[in-house]
Amino acid sequence: MDRPDTPHTDEPLVAETQIERRSALAIWISRLEGPQTMGRGPVFWATAALVVLAAILYPLFSDPFAVGNSAYFMVWTFMAMGLGVVWGYTGALSFGQTAFFGLAGYAYGVLTINFGAAYGFTWIALMISVALGGLFAMLIGYFMFYGRIKGVFVGIVTLSVTLVLETFMAQTAGPQWRIGEARLNGFNGMSGMPPLTIPWPGGDVLLYPGVGLYYVLLAMVVLCYLGLRMLLNAPFGNVLVAIRENPERAEMLGYDTRAYQMLSFALGGALAGLSGALYTAWGQYITPSSMGLTAAALPIVWVAVGGRRDITATLLGTLAVLFAFQLLTVYGSQYALIVMGALLLFTVLLTPEGLIATAMRWLGRLVGRAKR
């Protein structure tokens, strides 16, 4: 009697696929440390974990106003990290981050005013707004980089785009300037859009400035920071740094430098758009002044003071400068911008790598000597 055929199974193929996925995940996790980011080893990650733990516990020992204010600070870190990628890693100084910020902010307002916040639509509006910021940045980047615009002219073009967009939005005060139910309101800006909303069986959770929004933003900042570390230590980040250091040599090695610059610019625009949409959701308003000359210059100060060539220094520097700037605004508003300008001048002349980046390198050397 013949033996029945052995049934065919895909178990070896499934096992091989699982191994490949684990190895790919291990590769990406290993890129949390690399040549393009400072900080590595148990001491660095233990310190980072303690900082995150302190941030998690902070609302338990603070008043609601301070917690909401801290959430406001975190809103801006995405735009700063995006500018760090564009300027620090790719070498293209951009004044256009606030243009992408404003475009995404207005997009969030228009979408949520017209479609409401039911069924978690605010998160869909957030993603659409971020995508619009990134696509607009990609379009501008395409014309700039494929048009061989470089150096100081990138700053001039992006600043022009920002000022044109601000001027246009300031002139939309008439009743004819509306998209569905959403009126643009010119220089008065848009208001009345809902905050981020989490659908919940017992009733939607509205994330007004407070503890709930603080924790959501903290999680987003941590995930964005870790994701950027992995991306910048990947081949993509290495090519960006090669373009920054010597674009002609990178092109001779076979890389399409214009495509990498455009993608980097799009990433920076998407992150600026994320800040814009979150800012609009945080305060339920957006105005053309958020795209003005002063607004366009401030991210440059944050990133330069922290350290534009390291994402950790950019993040820490942005939070520190924002906190200091708010204190100056409260207790000496007439001097706030002057002090920010002086701080930028001091950084450029004495610590061109950034105050935070320089301090981190100094501490790293001390730790290394102590180990030896």
Side-chain angles (χ1 to χ4, degrees), residues 130-305:
V130 171
L132 283 175
L135 288 173
F136 184 52
M138 181 177 288
L139 180 65
I140 300 299
Y142 173 80
F143 286 109
M144 283 196 308
F145 299 120
Y146 280 88
R148 296 295 183 180
I149 294 175
K150 55 186 177 180
V152 68
F153 297 103
V154 173
I156 294 173
V157 170
T158 51
L159 181 60
S160 300
V161 170
T162 299
L163 296 181
V164 166
L165 190 57
E166 181 213 4
T167 303
F168 172 77
M169 295 306 299
Q171 296 176 353
T172 58
Q176 70 275 20
W177 292 100
R178 62 190 308 145
I179 303 174
E181 298 297 322
R183 289 188 55 177
L184 300 181
N185 288 330
F187 57 84
N188 291 316
M190 294 178 63
S191 61
M193 61 283 291
L196 289 175
T197 305
I198 299 177
W200 206 254
D204 292 346
V205 179
L206 303 179
L207 296 177
Y208 290 107
V211 176
L213 182 61
Y214 172 88
Y215 282 126
V216 169
L217 290 175
L218 178 61
M220 293 174 69
V221 169
V222 171
L223 290 174
C224 181
Y225 166 74
L226 295 177
L228 285 176
R229 281 187 71 101
M230 289 188 285
L231 182 64
L232 293 171
N233 286 317
F236 178 78
N238 293 330
V239 175
L240 294 185
V241 174
I243 292 171
R244 181 193 71 197
E245 297 299 326
N246 195 323
E248 291 80 12
R249 180 178 294 177
E251 197 163 9
M252 289 177 63
L253 290 172
Y255 295 106
D256 187 347
T257 58
R258 296 168 296 179
Y260 278 91
Q261 288 172 314
M262 182 183 68
L263 291 174
S264 168
F265 202 72
L267 176 60
L271 289 173
L274 179 58
S275 281
L278 290 173
Y279 172 81
T280 306
W282 174 85
Q284 291 90 60
Y285 68 93
I286 182 74
T287 65
S289 62
S290 63
M291 297 177 280
L293 182 60
T294 301
L298 285 176
I300 306 294
V301 178
W302 307 337
V303 175
V305 170

